[in-house]
Amino acid sequence: MCGLCLPHCPTYRQTEDEGDSPRGRIALMLGLDQGRVEADNERLAYHLDRCLGCRACEAMCPSHVPFMALMDQARANVNREQGMKRYGIPANQLLDMVAAPGKLRLVSIVAGPLGFLLRHIPVRGSWSRARDLIPKPIHHSFQTQDAISKDRPIYLFTGCMGELADRETLRAAERLLSAMGYFVQRSKSAVCCGAMHRHAGQPGEADTMLEKNLVAFDEYPGAPILSVATGCAAELNGYPDSFVSRHSEILSYLSSNEWTEALQFSAMDEKVAIHLPCTQRNVLKDATSTRSLMDRIPGIQLVDLPLSDGCCGAGGLNLLNQFELGESLFEHSLEWLKKEQPRYLVSANIGCSLHMQAVIEQSGLDCEVVHPLTLLARQLKSP
Ligand code: SF4
Ligand code: SF4
C-alpha cells in the first residue's frame, strides 16, 4: 500500500499513529476480514471509530480504494460483537431518534422550550454537544411568496436534522426557490437519509430509510429533489439511479441554473468566511458553488476558512462522542477566525455548523455560523 493518503488524513496528522491512518485502518479491516483480528478487539474499534469519515483518503487514492464502504462494513461487523454502547448515550439517543420520525417530531415540538431551559443549566462534555443540537430561536423569518404556477414543483429533502436544528436554512431555501417561481414541496413521508446509521455500522436501518425515501416523492413524479445538507447529499447520491437522476445538492443546483432577473440582493459590507465541508469537497467534488452564490451579494468580502488538517472535526458522530478530537482539529481555524474577525462563517453541513458554532461561542468570538442560503435569503430584495 503506497501511503499517499497518509498526509491527507486529519486523524493521522493529529496523532501520527499508523492505526489512525487510512492505510493502518485498511490493514486492521483486512485483518478482521481474514480472521487475524477478532471483532471484539477494543483496540480495533478504537482506531476504526476515530475515523472522521471525511473521505479525504478516498478522494486522492490512486487505486480508488472504496474506503468508506469498507469502513461501514467493518463497523457493522464490530457492532455485532461489541454492540453500540461504545458510541455513548447522546450518540445512540440521536441515532434512535432520527430512525423514528414520531420521536423526532415530538422532540422538534418540545425542543424550543427545552433548549431554553438547557441553555441555562451547566452541562459538560458530550451532553453540552447534545444540547447544541437543539434549535436556537430563528433570527429571521422569511416571507415565502406564492408560487407563480404549480407547473414547476420542486422538493426539498429536509433530512432528519433539518426541522430539529436547521429551520432557518429550510425557510431560506423555500424563500429563494419560491422567489424563483418554483412550487416548493416537502414530502410528509420522507425520513432521514440514513447516512449516520450507515457510517455507524447499521446498514439494515440505513436501507430501511432508503426504501421509504424511494417512494416518498411520488406525488410530483420527476420533480427535482434538493437536499440542503451536504452530508445528506453525499448519502442520497448513493441511492438507486431512479432517485439520483432527480436529486441535487441545493447549492450546486442553484449555482448551475439561470436565476431570474427578479432576484436582487441588498449590499452587505461584511467579511464572510467560507467553510467547505469534507462531504462537499471530497464526495460531491464541489469547491465552487458556495463562493459563486455568495458572490451575488454586492459588497460582500469573501475569505476561505483554512483547515490545517482538512476537516473541522465534526465528521460522523464525532460531534457527540469525540468532541475533544474535534476541538483540537478546529484549533488552527479558530485562531485564524480570531485574527480575521469575519462577521459570518458559512457552511453547507449542519453537523459542521453546530460543531463550529459551539467552539466559536465557547471562545467568546462574535461570529455567526449560517448556511449560505440563509445569508442569500436575508439579503434578498422583495420584488
Ligand atoms: S488507500 Fe489508496 S492512497 Fe492510501 S495507502 Fe491504500 S492505495 Fe495508497
Ligand atoms: S476518512 Fe478521513 S479520517 Fe478516516 S481514514 Fe480517511 S482521511 Fe482519515
Side-chain angles (χ1 to χ4, degrees), residues 351-372:
C352 305
S353 297
L354 291 167
H355 165 65
M356 295 188 294
Q357 186 74 76
V359 181
I360 287 170
E361 275 176 19
Q362 258 174 38
S363 77
L365 197 63
D366 181 22
C367 175
E368 187 188 356
V369 185
V370 289
H371 195 285

Side-chain angles (χ1 to χ4, degrees), residues 55-129:
R55 298 168 81 163
C57 50
E58 209 175 78
M60 65 75 49
C61 174
S63 307
H64 306 291
V65 171
F67 180 86
M68 209 59 223
L70 296 174
M71 176 60 79
D72 294 346
Q73 180 60 52
R75 281 184 178 150
N77 292 340
V78 171
N79 287 350
R80 272 195 283 279
E81 287 301 319
Q82 300 193 27
M84 299 287 292
K85 273 194 183 147
R86 67 185 194 282
Y87 288 112
I89 295 173
N92 276 310
Q93 289 291 335
L94 179 68
L95 288 169
D96 281 354
M97 191 176 71
V98 300
K103 269 191 205 172
L104 195 61
R105 263 193 299 278
L106 186 67
V107 171
S108 69
I109 291 167
V110 299
L114 186 68
F116 178 80
L117 277 177
L118 285 178
R119 274 190 280 282
H120 294 84
I121 298 173
V123 286
R124 301 184 65 194
S126 49
W127 286 106
S128 75
R129 284 292 174 276

Side-chain angles (χ1 to χ4, degrees), residues 270-273 301-306 332-344 365-367:
E270 300 279 9
K271 191 186 275 188
V272 176
Q301 300 142 47
L302 297 173
V303 283
D304 292 315
L305 177 76
H332 171 74
S333 307
L334 186 64
E335 288 311 309
W336 181 88
L337 287 169
K338 284 179 185 167
K339 198 158 73 68
E340 292 292 324
Q341 302 263 328
R343 175 67 193 91
Y344 299 99
L365 197 63
D366 181 22
C367 175

Side-chain angles (χ1 to χ4, degrees), residues 237-248:
N237 277 352
Y239 276 30
D241 288 348
S242 59
F243 189 99
V244 174
S245 60
R246 293 172 64 188
H247 167 254
S248 305

Side-chain angles (χ1 to χ4, degrees), residues 201-238:
Q202 296 192 314
E205 287 80 351
D207 287 343
T208 302
M209 293 172 198
L210 178 151
E211 295 297 336
K212 287 184 182 163
N213 285 328
L214 288 184
V215 292
F217 299 91
D218 286 351
E219 192 178 345
Y220 295 94
I225 304 166
L226 305 184
S227 49
V228 292
T230 55
C232 301
E235 177 69 15
L236 295 174
N237 277 352

Side-chain angles (χ1 to χ4, degrees), residues 30-66:
L30 264 178
L32 177 65
D33 192 51
Q34 295 167 353
R36 286 180 287 109
V37 181
E38 298 294 330
D40 62 0
N41 186 313
E42 286 181 13
R43 202 74 197 156
L44 166 76
Y46 173 80
H47 287 301
L48 297 192
D49 291 346
R50 279 166 71 82
C51 169
L52 299 158
C54 71
R55 298 168 81 163
C57 50
E58 209 175 78
M60 65 75 49
C61 174
S63 307
H64 306 291
V65 171

Side-chain angles (χ1 to χ4, degrees), residues 5-6 8-13 19-23 25-26 29 47-48 50-59 67-68 71 75 278 282 309 311 329:
C5 53
L6 265 62
H8 300 270
C9 172
T11 54
Y12 179 70
R13 286 168 62 112
D20 285 335
S21 78
R23 185 175 61 185
R25 288 177 177 130
I26 290 169
M29 292 191 273
H47 287 301
L48 297 192
R50 279 166 71 82
C51 169
L52 299 158
C54 71
R55 298 168 81 163
C57 50
E58 209 175 78
F67 180 86
M68 209 59 223
M71 176 60 79
R75 281 184 178 150
C278 301
N282 300 329
D309 293 313
C311 172
L329 283 163

